[in-house]
Amino acid sequence: MNSLATDMPVPEGPGSVSGAPDLPAGFTETFTSRYIDTGELRLHAVIGGDGPPLLLVHGWPQTWWAWRLMMPALARDFQVIAVDQRGMGLSDKPEDGYDTGTLARDMVALMDALGHQRFAMYGTDTGMLIAYALAADHRERLERLVVSEAPLPGISPSPPLFLSGPLNDRLWHLTFNQLAPEVNEGLVRGREEIFLGAKFAAAAGTNKLPDHAMRHYIDTLSDPEALHSSFALYRAFGAIIAQNEQRKTRPLTLPVLAMGGAQSFGDGVGNTMKLTADDVQTVVIPDAGHWVAEQAPEEVLAALTAFLAPYRDAATAPRDPATRASA
């Protein structure tokens, strides 16, 4: 393990494993919170399990905690690394560096510090944007890619300005979050429950997140610094669009699993990835909206483990004597 991953303080508070609410039984026996110094910034990651590495990257306005319901089962087959992306959770919140090229380099530096040259990755929502950028910019690092519940700026068709009521309720934040801090942050500060509560409810469809989950995310973004940095990726959309227009000229060749909630993006995630990848499997999660890992963890887990089985099996299979001798 790289020395950059050592000599860090122990993460504490509600954003850490030791302080997070409503974790599955036995969670703290498998997973621990760690700070990882990547050389550019300090990232917070929750790590546990045995097997080949699987990197999980959450979306907006969430943290690593979004994966909590799936992590214990995944840890039976993989070393699970659920990270707080730059600007969110307990990770550092610098003023810049929120284009997906930089965010992908954050993830590569994290995995370097943990000693993982090759790994599988699942990104959802804004985590999908980061995962795609990593797969396109660092092709030698990923074995398999899983994405869910987002369009790709610069690749997906841009939504029209005028949308129907339910669709507008789901998507209006894509432009609002890009506004200058004195506008969107000024409007949201002190009203986080109204703003985020509406976003969580609209994106969930009919299967709403429990009140305690929304409360946890709202409390996390009630800190002005956290709210400010949570909008930063959206404010970088201009740079991200330009980067993706270049990335799509070289389609991905690795296996891709694209998932969407039936009450949200549905098969649109797969259709988006087919614009920029050659080998795409599409899964639509029934009775789920945008928050698939929390609304339908068993269904997502089944699709994920089936897709990752060749990666898991290849990593854990005993090598033949000739291969061992060569190594």
Side-chain angles (χ1 to χ4, degrees):
M1 181 168 297
N2 192 302
S3 61
L4 292 175
T6 63
D7 301 323
M8 289 283 103
V10 176
E12 297 178 343
S16 69
V17 168
S18 62
D22 303 296
L23 294 175
F27 192 95
T28 57
E29 298 170 11
T30 301
F31 293 97
T32 57
S33 277
R34 293 180 52 193
Y35 285 125
I36 310 296
D37 185 347
T38 68
E40 293 291 331
L41 77 167
R42 189 178 72 174
L43 294 174
H44 170 243
V46 175
I47 303 172
D50 295 310
L54 172 61
L55 177 62
L56 305 177
V57 185
H58 64 87
W60 180 89
Q62 299 181 294
T63 66
W64 72 267
W65 194 73
W67 306 107
R68 68 196 180 281
L69 301 179
M70 295 168 47
M71 288 170 69
L74 288 172
R76 292 195 287 267
D77 292 320
F78 305 97
Q79 183 186 66
V80 178
I81 301 144
V83 64
D84 286 337
Q85 56 178 268
R86 174 190 292 241
M88 304 190 76
L90 295 181
S91 289
D92 282 351
K93 300 171 177 61
E95 189 60 30
D96 54 15
Y98 293 91
D99 62 280
T100 51
T102 302
L103 293 167
R105 289 195 296 274
D106 286 347
M107 299 298 107
V108 170
L110 168 74
M111 299 304 275
D112 281 344
L114 295 173
H116 301 306
Q117 288 300 303
R118 299 277 293 179
F119 52 94
M121 184 176 187
Y122 177 10
T124 192
D125 187 74
T126 57
M128 172 173 162
L129 277 62
I130 298 168
Y132 168 66
L134 195 155
D137 296 356
H138 306 273
R139 294 169 181 252
E140 75 284 0
R141 304 305 295 267
L142 282 190
E143 296 279 357
R144 289 187 165 231
L145 173 66
V146 184
V147 294
S148 63
E149 280 300 303
L152 289 176
I155 294 173
S156 302
S158 181
L161 178 62
F162 299 106
L163 298 169
S164 65
L167 197 56
N168 186 64
D169 289 345
R170 283 174 42 209
L171 298 181
W172 66 268
H173 72 285
L174 294 176
T175 49
F176 178 83
N177 288 9
Q178 297 179 57
L179 297 176
E182 59 269 23
V183 179
N184 53 21
E185 293 173 40
L187 289 169
V188 172
R189 272 196 303 272
R191 305 175 185 88
E192 294 87 355
E193 189 159 359
I194 298 173
F195 173 63
L196 295 170
K199 291 311 306 173
F200 276 113
T206 59
N207 182 15
K208 307 301 183 186
L209 293 185
D211 288 344
H212 73 264
M214 290 192 295
R215 181 78 265 157
H216 177 69
Y217 295 125
I218 292 168
D219 288 347
T220 298
L221 286 189
S222 293
D223 173 75
E225 183 184 20
L227 181 67
H228 174 74
S229 59
S230 83
F231 289 146
L233 182 148
Y234 295 88
R235 294 184 180 126
F237 267 11
I240 293 168
I241 288 170
Q243 291 172 3
N244 281 349
E245 287 174 344
Q246 291 299 311
R247 291 177 181 124
K248 70 181 180 182
T249 63
R250 293 182 61 216
L252 303 179
T253 57
L254 83 170
V256 178
L257 173 64
M259 293 187 283
Q263 298 180 20
S264 185
F265 283 94
D267 61 4
V269 185
N271 293 337
T272 288
M273 292 308 301
K274 288 174 184 176
L275 297 174
T276 190
D278 295 334
D279 182 2
V280 180
Q281 300 178 36
T282 299
V283 171
V284 176
I285 306 298
D287 302 319
H290 182 64
W291 320 106
V292 290
E294 294 179 272
Q295 294 176 297
E298 294 183 0
E299 291 82 354
V300 174
L301 186 65
L304 184 62
T305 53
F307 175 74
L308 294 177
Y311 165 63
R312 177 201 62 208
D313 294 345
T316 57
R319 292 180 294 177
D320 62 57
T323 304
R324 286 198 299 270
S326 174

